[in-house]
Amino acid sequence: MSGAEMTSDPWLILLVIVPLLAAPVCVLLRSATGAWSVATAVAWSVFAISLKLLDTVMDQGVVRYRIGGWDAPWGIEYRLDSVGVFVVLIVSAIAAVILPYAKRSVEKEIRKDRIYLFYAMLLLCLTGLLGITVTGDAFNLFVFLEISSLSSYVLISLGTDRRALTAAFRYLIMGTLGATFYIIGVGLLYQTTGTLNIADLKTIMPAVIDTRTVHAALAFLTVGISLKLALFPLHMWLPNAYTFAPGAVTAFLASTATKVSAYILLRIIFTLFGDVDLFASFPLQPILITMALAAMFLASLSAIWQENVKRMMAYSSIAQIGYIVLGIAMATETGLTGGIIHMFNHALIKGSAFMAIGAVVFSTGAVTLTQMEGIGKRMPYTMAAFVIAGLGLIGVPLTPGFISKWQLVTAAMELNMWPLAALILLSSLLAVIYVWRVFEVAYLRPAPEGAPAAQEVPLSMLLPIWVMVLAALYFGSNATFTLNLAHTAALQLMGGL
Amino acid sequence: MFDWNDASSLLGLLNYWVAIVLMMAGFYTVIAQHNLIKKVVGLNIFQVAVFVFYISMGKVSGGSAPILKDGIELYSNPLPHVLILTAIVVGVATTALALALVVRINHSFGTIEEDEIQTIEHDEEDIA
């Protein structure tokens, strides 16, 4: 065996190949239950693989796979470091929890003869999201970005309301613009450096950073990815897409897709441009902090005024993306740790919240505040899960939201940005208001006349919700594991690979 | 100013001018048109501009096709061309999906004019 093959870890390619091959299998099966079984088995094996990879990355630092045996700058290289493995873990864990939940929810929301196609799309989306995280090639990343995007447009358009169609169309337009901006950026970089390998680009970058071509590339890359990330003010596609998508899809996309986009942003700023002092030569920090703060306040304010709880949570997602970007923008060890750990924490919190709302929609059809009056007594377990998730959004101690915000506030104080620390706390108060609105309607108002006494969802849906909520509570009270992981990731980003 | 081979002249940068003009024309169409089909066409023009940019980037003046043959020493770079084949496939898939969505939107809303759809959606907002 040659040296190249010895350092190649085949588990890395399996992470992408398994869901990619399983998608057409779902189509061939043409059976709803069959497709669901395949998808669930795949999600669980992918989760197992990512746990194994976590172990290897912790041990060796970086895991590589050379596609077709070609060496790095010429062939496409897959590489996974502690940042990537953290995101892979988020995506695969969320998929593994949501698929069991999806079975009943999807049976109710999607036409029976289309369900197998739904699971094929979900698997393709999973392929794309995992592919983005493991690839070390800038153009290959675009291909995976489009695989995940195209499948998520389809998933969103499968919602029961006809507005799901227009939401998917608008997301398609914005998403394609974003992805095309990204390849313009990659093209400009290729033109200047002659390479597409991200690690290779990183080493060449200091020599070419003072050219206008590279400046333009940086602008195209960041704006393109900010569109996919739904960073304020490029978030317009998100509220309707999350509101009208099927319940399981909203829960899956809200907790994975934006996190993966945040990962690309991290890669651009800290890996691609990692060897040049981007923050000294460009006003990147003030721009990102302003947008993050605008997202935190304006999106939270919008959330307060929403009648539709799904849309309320969608606006809350935009605000939470603000916290992630704020951590990235502070560009210090503590700040980055805060931003990275919030990717994980927010995935758990928002996953739980959207799964709980999906359960309410499943058994009562209620999605607006008025329809949800007194729902706390009729669906006690589901609503308890929602309330815990809501506390996580606020950042109450013992919830993971607290861990993230503590990190971010500490980071702001280390930088002597006291107003920023105050603003982080102030924006949390806005979350109190919208979470309270749901709580007040669900628990303090009487149920409407003639409503059934108990409408709790089946165990196959309740169990995944509580697995997610308990995981959130666990990582909220005992964050050593996640903090260590996020800290290692931050160090790796700051110090280079 | 009008020299093909001078990289700083107007003609020397012709491929970039073409790409930028096409790109902006497409981008403007996406933003300004209310008709969903026209938006898709605009999106296509926008993407094609990027294809043109990539394809022209790989061309070396006087370079031949990248096939090994005696007597040929200068080759064009085939990699951007291959990359753009992938991007074209992605573009076709995006267009197909967009048009499929437009068909479904036309079925459910009875129109493909964005302002009319927005009026209908706005009325539904009060119900749900």
Side-chain angles (χ1 to χ4, degrees), chain A residues 330-341:
Chain A
M330 285 196 274
T332 60
E333 208 179 298
T334 325
L336 263 183
T337 309
I340 293 171
I341 201 170

Side-chain angles (χ1 to χ4, degrees), chain B residues 1-15 18 61:
Chain B
M1 190 172 177
F2 295 105
D3 181 5
W4 286 103
N5 296 315
D6 178 7
S8 61
S9 76
L10 198 63
L11 272 181
L13 294 172
L14 184 67
N15 58 328
V18 171
S61 307

Side-chain angles (χ1 to χ4, degrees), chain B residues 10-85:
Chain B
L10 198 63
L11 272 181
L13 294 172
L14 184 67
N15 58 328
Y16 299 107
W17 286 109
V18 171
I20 292 291
V21 167
L22 267 179
M23 196 182 288
M24 289 306 121
F27 199 21
Y28 178 77
T29 314
V30 174
I31 296 170
Q33 287 294 339
H34 286 298
N35 185 300
L36 298 187
I37 298 276
K38 288 183 183 168
K39 268 185 194 290
V40 176
V41 172
L43 196 65
N44 259 302
I45 297 173
F46 180 70
Q47 286 181 307
V48 166
V50 181
F51 302 163
V52 170
F53 163 62
Y54 262 80
I55 293 167
S56 63
M57 175 209 306
K59 175 67 183 162
V60 176
S61 307
S64 160
I67 302 165
L68 282 178
K69 194 167 180 278
D70 288 337
I72 297 175
E73 306 219 316
L74 197 59
Y75 295 104
S76 288
N77 185 352
L79 187 77
H81 302 171
V82 179
L83 292 180
I84 233 53
L85 275 181

Side-chain angles (χ1 to χ4, degrees), chain A residues 322-346:
Chain A
Y323 292 106
I324 297 175
V325 173
L326 187 67
I328 297 175
M330 285 196 274
T332 60
E333 208 179 298
T334 325
L336 263 183
T337 309
I340 293 171
I341 201 170
H342 196 52
M343 285 158 69
F344 179 78
N345 291 341
H346 179 242

Side-chain angles (χ1 to χ4, degrees), chain A residues 179-216:
Chain A
T180 311
F181 269 36
Y182 176 84
I183 43 166
I184 297 172
V186 171
L188 291 169
L189 286 184
Y190 179 73
Q191 196 173 29
T192 324
T193 62
T195 182
L196 289 167
N197 183 288
I198 295 175
D200 208 23
L201 277 166
K202 175 187 156 85
T203 51
I204 302 176
M205 203 52 71
V208 293
I209 184 66
D210 287 324
T211 58
R212 193 171 289 173
T213 320
V214 173
H215 294 179

Side-chain angles (χ1 to χ4, degrees), chain A residues 78-95:
Chain A
Y78 282 7
R79 77 188 274 144
L80 196 65
D81 57 10
S82 53
V83 196
V85 84
F86 199 35
V87 179
V88 164
L89 211 58
I90 297 173
V91 173
S92 59
I94 297 283

